[in-house]
Amino acid sequence: MCGIIGYIGERSTTEMLLAGLRSLEYRGYDSAGIAVVGSDGMKLLRSEGKLDNLARQVDPSTMNGSYGIGHTRWATHGRPNEENAHPHRDCSGSIVIVHNGIIENYLDLKKALTDNGHEFVTETDTEIIAHTVEKYFDGDLELAVRKALGELEGVFAFVALSEKEPDVLIGARNGPPLVLGIGEDESFIASDVPAFLSHTREAIFLEDGDVAILRKQSVRVVDIDGNELDRKPERITWDPIQVEKQGFKHFMLKEIYEQPRAVRDTLLGRYSLDSGLVHLNELSLDDDFVSQMTRISIAACGTSWLAAQVGKFYIEELARLPVDVDVASEFRYRNPILDDKQLVIGITQSGETADTLAALKASKEAGAKTLVICNVTGSMATRVCDETLYTHAGPEIGVAATKTFTSQIVCLYLLALHLGQRLGRLTPEDTRGRLADLARAAHIMEQALELSEPIMEIAREFYLVDDFLFLGRGHLYPIALEGALKLKELSYIHAEGYPAGEMKHGPIALIDDRMPLVALALDNPLFEKIASNIQEAKARGARIIAVITEGDDRLIPILDQDRDHVIRLPRHPDAISPLISVVPLQLLAYHISVRRGCDVDQPRNLAKSVTVE
């Protein structure tokens, strides 16, 4: 979850570290710090709160050198204050560490180190790493780190430097991501690619157990025993401008507006309207496995789990295969029934989500075929799984997922069509019309984005309420859940999403004249059902925000012109409704959050990538 950056090269190290941390702040923003080593020794500076607090204290003219490390924190062990901020030091102050993850045996290590005279000054488990490395350091930092790794238990990634061994950084990965950037006479190590994307697109994604040794003109990767490993650089295709705001007030708003492009990019080259066929050439699922497949299980977290719920509707309808959807953090603990006739799909934007990775690894060990839907080339999930289906959403900086969610839905729809065709349950004629509808989705999403101004006015009326209720039916029920999740994440308003038919089984008790209810009442086969639910809510005083289809005014007589609101979406095929209907809910959450003065891109207590359990 935390953001790590290390740099060694000819540029201003302090400026490179601060710029890298700026690109990683979505990973955590409880505190930040940097350590830089130059001709006059090492200087370290830390600050509580967001990166701006640190940046205001830094003077690059006096705090500079040839190499250094930086960190932006999402607190796990220890309060989010300056004392617990990274980097952390050993007893001598010459070895410093930045760390992401959890050292599970830190209490045992701390006791043993204390008994041997080490003194600790923080509440963190990170400080234990610095002292353990110190125990083994005798002028060779690589060797000390490798020996220390033999004592550390948990999931973690860290980078170490020593003032006593100049111009070298040592990184180690066992769970959370670390990626190397290979430049000309400079090297980078970071938690994610955006930290160095403006300077190089050549990257090496470390694997669990890897130890990286960085110098200005060389990068080596070894295992814990010092054996050389062959890790090939990959070319990052993202454009550096994609990680800039480009005139938008927030990254999230930019990414909401990037969704039509992301949908087009995810579709590109994967289907033919002429033939009516879906071409997922990156998959190597053989015909025998597909023909004998008995079920599909999907494991994911957060918004990706909601995309999985939509995918369940698609796969069961089009491929006629039973689908289970699990929250990844619960999947392996319920002892699921797995075998070699089962496909397990993990959905993870980053490819590094700890719980999803654990579910995929457990499934593979049980003999199931594994597939990941992922946005990051070379990430851990793509190396763990048998198959990978990439979304092509581009980098997503806002903590709240938007364009990655809609890209995941597109991948799931394509997969459902692909499996349906291979199983003989869909003909090209069946598929051609669906593909044509899917090809139109991006344009219709662009039309839906034009609703931002009227939705802003709705936000102006409701931004001070305490509770929201979202209702949907069928494949729009997960969209209601996503609308509620976005509002909770961004504005800190309590919001619940429900299948509309369940309203009478509990949530109706919450409804009064203060409760706004967002209802997805589009022109589809379930319209009459949800219209009935809206009437029941109206009878109890609810204020309705109805998302309806343009030209379908059947709901208007039910609504109160003075109290209720209508959002009219462009008419579109029912199958792509999840892609279209989520747009106004994203905009509603965004505008309410802005009105409340919340930090849209960095909501409190959240981080973009959850790399520990």
Side-chain angles (χ1 to χ4, degrees):
M1 309 236 262
C2 307
I4 289 171
I5 177 70
Y7 174 76
I8 182 168
E10 300 296 333
R11 307 184 205 228
S12 167
T13 298
T14 299
E15 292 178 1
M16 297 296 280
L17 293 177
L18 290 175
L21 290 178
R22 187 74 64 190
S23 299
L24 295 173
E25 200 174 11
Y26 64 87
R27 299 182 64 87
Y29 27 87
D30 292 331
S31 60
I34 59 173
V36 176
V37 183
S39 58
D40 56 348
M42 181 169 64
K43 295 184 179 180
L44 187 148
L45 186 64
R46 305 181 302 192
S47 177
E48 181 179 348
K50 295 192 175 182
L51 183 60
D52 285 342
N53 295 344
L54 177 72
R56 281 192 290 267
Q57 301 177 47
V58 173
D59 182 353
S61 66
T62 59
M63 186 176 185
N64 209 355
S66 58
Y67 65 111
I69 55 178
H71 189 271
T72 181
R73 184 177 185 230
W74 190 89
T76 51
H77 289 72
R79 291 165 291 178
N81 55 23
E82 189 276 334
E83 179 182 81
N84 291 324
H86 301 214
H88 288 290
R89 292 167 276 204
D90 69 335
C91 291
S92 69
S94 63
I95 295 173
V96 293
I97 301 284
V98 289
H99 161 234
N100 177 17
I102 295 173
I103 307 301
E104 294 175 353
N105 62 333
Y106 85 102
L107 289 175
D108 292 338
L109 292 175
K110 186 174 183 176
K111 182 179 185 306
L113 288 163
T114 302
D115 290 344
N116 281 287
H118 290 261
E119 296 182 1
F120 294 87
V121 296
T122 78
E123 303 169 321
T124 72
D125 56 341
T126 303
E127 194 181 5
I128 273 68
I129 305 174
H131 288 269
T132 305
V133 171
E134 177 193 9
K135 182 171 73 171
Y136 292 110
F137 182 71
D138 189 21
D140 186 339
L141 186 61
E142 175 199 338
L143 182 61
V145 166
R146 289 196 283 108
K147 287 184 175 179
L149 286 171
E151 295 194 24
L152 304 177
E153 297 175 6
V155 288
F156 53 81
F158 67 84
V159 180
L161 65 76
S162 171
E163 186 180 3
K164 296 179 180 178
E165 187 177 355
D167 296 316
V168 63
L169 300 176
I170 309 296
R173 170 178 182 162
N174 185 43
L178 273 182
V179 57
L180 311 180
I182 315 302
E184 186 173 341
D185 295 328
E186 62 185 357
S187 301
F188 303 81
I189 184 167
S191 296
D192 203 353
V193 169
F196 55 74
L197 189 59
S198 296
H199 307 289
T200 180
R201 295 193 191 184
E202 296 297 313
I204 295 175
F205 291 85
L206 296 183
E207 299 184 16
D208 284 351
D210 286 0
V211 178
I213 303 95
L214 286 78
R215 292 184 169 84
K216 290 180 184 179
Q217 297 178 325
S218 69
V219 167
R220 294 169 47 239
V221 182
V222 301
D223 64 17
I224 193 171
D225 297 317
N227 301 310
E228 295 281 340
L229 298 172
D230 185 18
R231 299 284 184 253
K232 301 292 187 186
E234 298 187 33
R235 180 77 175 171
I236 304 301
T237 58
W238 294 347
D239 191 313
I241 199 170
Q242 290 181 278
V243 297
E244 303 297 332
K245 289 183 182 175
Q246 296 174 267
F248 286 90
K249 186 176 181 181
H250 298 97
F251 278 112
M252 182 189 175
L253 186 61
K254 168 179 171 277
E255 289 156 4
I256 289 172
Y257 275 83
E258 286 178 337
Q259 288 179 112
R261 180 203 56 77
V263 166
R264 290 187 179 102
D265 287 350
T266 300
L267 285 171
L268 188 64
R270 285 174 161 168
Y271 70 96
S272 168
L273 282 181
D274 290 338
S275 67
L277 295 177
V278 175
H279 305 292
L280 299 182
N281 297 326
E282 58 264 62
L283 300 186
S284 58
L285 297 170
D286 62 63
D287 290 339
D288 287 343
F289 173 76
V290 172
S291 65
Q292 295 176 33
M293 199 188 314
T294 57
R295 71 187 307 105
I296 291 175
S297 296
I298 309 179
C301 301
T303 289
S304 294
W305 179 73
L306 298 175
Q309 298 282 1
V310 177
K312 173 183 172 72
F313 280 91
Y314 289 147
I315 295 169
E316 291 191 339
E317 177 188 357
L318 301 173
R320 304 308 297 160
L321 284 167
V323 179
D324 301 320
V325 178
D326 276 272
V327 174
S329 57
E330 296 293 331
F331 179 82
R332 58 185 169 139
Y333 296 114
R334 68 173 179 83
N335 194 20
I337 300 170
L338 299 165
D339 58 40
D340 60 2
K341 292 182 174 59
Q342 190 167 350
L343 178 66
V344 177
I345 302 173
I347 308 178
T348 160
Q349 184 280 138
S350 66
E352 305 288 352
T353 308
D355 290 314
T356 305
L357 283 171
L360 290 167
K361 290 175 182 176
S363 300
K364 195 168 183 178
E365 289 169 3
K369 183 78 74 175
T370 55
L371 182 154
V372 66
I373 295 175
C374 181
N375 193 45
V376 180
T377 305
S379 57
M380 179 58 75
T382 68
R383 299 196 296 274
V384 166
C385 286
D386 302 306
E387 308 283 347
T388 298
L389 192 57
Y390 283 110
T391 58
H392 295 293
E396 187 175 67
I397 306 302
V399 167
T402 51
K403 63 179 181 174
T404 53
F405 173 68
T406 44
S407 295
Q408 289 166 353
I409 289 175
V410 170
C411 278
L412 287 161
Y413 197 179
L414 288 172
L415 181 63
L417 291 169
H418 175 74
L419 293 174
Q421 289 178 335
R422 292 187 62 181
L423 290 166
R425 288 158 190 165
L426 293 173
T427 67
E429 290 71 27
D430 295 328
T431 311
R432 191 173 289 114
R434 290 180 175 275
L435 289 172
D437 292 341
L438 194 52
R440 293 172 51 216
H443 176 64
I444 300 170
M445 292 171 80
E446 288 169 342
Q447 294 176 309
L449 286 165
E450 295 174 6
L451 296 167
S452 186
E453 287 294 328
I455 291 172
M456 191 185 304
E457 292 305 311
I458 296 173
R460 189 191 306 274
E461 184 169 338
F462 290 103
Y463 77 98
L464 291 177
V465 303
D466 296 321
D467 302 278
F468 259 84
L469 189 62
F470 289 73
L471 297 182
R473 279 186 178 262
H475 60 358
L476 295 185
Y477 156 51
I479 304 305
L481 290 173
E482 173 64 4
L485 177 60
K486 283 290 160 286
L487 191 62
K488 281 184 280 195
E489 286 179 314
L490 298 176
S491 70
Y492 321 137
I493 293 173
H494 173 251
E496 297 287 347
Y498 269 89
E502 283 293 292
M503 187 180 73
K504 293 189 292 292
H505 297 272
I508 199 168
L510 299 173
I511 293 176
D512 59 23
D513 59 5
R514 298 185 300 269
M515 168 80 79
L517 185 150
V518 180
L520 296 171
L522 298 175
D523 185 4
N524 62 35
L526 295 173
F527 171 82
E528 297 293 345
K529 298 292 186 183
I530 197 162
S532 174
N533 298 131
I534 292 170
Q535 286 182 310
E536 292 164 348
K538 285 289 297 175
R540 287 153 181 85
R543 303 186 65 185
I544 307 299
I545 302 171
V547 182
I548 68 172
T549 304
E550 193 172 30
D552 179 17
D553 289 338
R554 288 175 291 171
L555 200 62
I556 301 304
I558 301 174
L559 303 178
D560 186 329
Q561 188 174 0
D562 296 326
R563 299 183 74 248
D564 300 327
H565 295 269
V566 174
I567 299 171
R568 288 181 167 86
L569 285 181
R571 184 165 290 277
H572 58 271
D574 183 48
I576 62 170
S577 270
L579 295 170
I580 312 304
S581 60
V582 74
V583 171
L585 305 190
Q586 293 168 342
L587 290 169
L588 181 65
Y590 171 80
H591 288 305
I592 286 178
S593 175
V594 171
R595 293 287 303 178
R596 289 170 68 90
C598 300
D599 190 332
V600 173
D601 286 335
Q602 298 172 354
R604 69 186 182 203
N605 302 332
L606 297 180
K608 182 70 176 173
S609 181
V610 182
T611 56
V612 295
E613 282 194 86

